[in-house]
Amino acid sequence: MSTQPHTTTPQDRSDDEEPLLSVDDLRTRIRTERETIHAVDGVSFTVNRGETVCLVGESGSGKSVTCESLTGIVPQPPAEIIGGTVEFKGRNLLEASESTLRSIRGTEIAHVFQNPQSALDPVYTVGDQLVEAITIHEEISESDARERASELLRQVGIPNAPTRIDDYPHEFSGGMQQRVAIAIALAADPALLIADEPTTAVDVTVQARLIELLRELTDGGMSVLLITHDLRVAAALADRVLVMFGGTIVERGPIEALYSQPAHPYTRSLFDSYDGLSRRGDRSARGDIPTDGCRFRDECPHAIDACAGGDQPPFYTVDDRKTHGASCLYYGPEHDPAPILHDDAAVNTLIEEPTDD
Ligand code: SF4
């Protein structure tokens, strides 16, 4: 097993093509009256064209704040983006004006949130909202836009789309509202879809349909950055996985490699405690994560003195392909990872896809 340090940034490139999105050392803090939370604490990753990258981790790990920081939709204040770069098609979005960001949002980068109501206006029909989303970004006649809106509804699995297009959001079920929200996000044919827990509020049948839809989109060339705490959803969709803990990425790698051999002690604990939903609380809100050294050291059964102090450990390769890395000293040149990898309790079978039972 190789223990050479992982190349730092940009990382995990699957080919020679420039990544669509390249995030480097992103830092976002949130100030409350009581404390300052380092919600995103030096996050770096890439998303290639046509690729699905999943950010997994428990509630409060920084997944959503990371994604909301990319296009500046994180509420500022209380949040403040204090460092890093977010290169999208060669532009650093952190230096872009608000008008530039506004034109990118919804056209080139679209967001879908866990709660579809946030994307739907209750006083307009879904057709009106879709037509508006289409015509804002494209010179197209009203009738053609309406036809396209109907086609989008059909694509996301709304039955009787030509009729339902004139319904209001409250006339749809929660799962259908989520699909309508996805249709609105897709209206401008974005290059990157950022989907934050899009399948959490729906039943397993709708979840399976949404997963199928997201697969079709990436087959068509769209890139997806998917936030989920559901390891089965990540298994069903991801090309690569980024595991977040305490505002940092602690493990990253291709889905097959990471799921067959979770390497970081936190990832292994995540798999061990998995019951379909995270059982852990909101750590960031409790502010009980170290702000230096390895962020996981207070809970790590393998922690040694060297894990305290300094910064989060660098990424070391876990396998010979150098695509799977863990931010843990045990994979560095001075240590042997055997005590971690021989922990049989962490063996998992979560590569299976969601089922209806
Ligand atoms: S660096 Fe140390 S504390 Fe952090 S995961 Fe590795 S062994 Fe545990």
Side-chain angles (χ1 to χ4, degrees), residues 264-265 294 297 300 302-303 307 313 328-330:
H264 193 280
C294 178
R297 69 175 186 272
C300 181
H302 307 286
C307 303
C328 172
L329 293 180
Y330 269 84

Side-chain angles (χ1 to χ4, degrees), residues 236-256:
L237 280 168
D239 295 305
R240 281 187 297 122
V241 176
L242 311 170
V243 181
M244 282 197 77
F245 176 84
T248 67
I249 293 173
V250 296
E251 184 165 356
R252 63 193 186 210
I255 180 78
E256 300 86 0

Side-chain angles (χ1 to χ4, degrees), residues 297-314:
R297 69 175 186 272
D298 287 352
E299 298 176 54
C300 181
H302 307 286
I304 52 179
D305 288 349
C307 303
D311 208 344
Q312 180 70 26

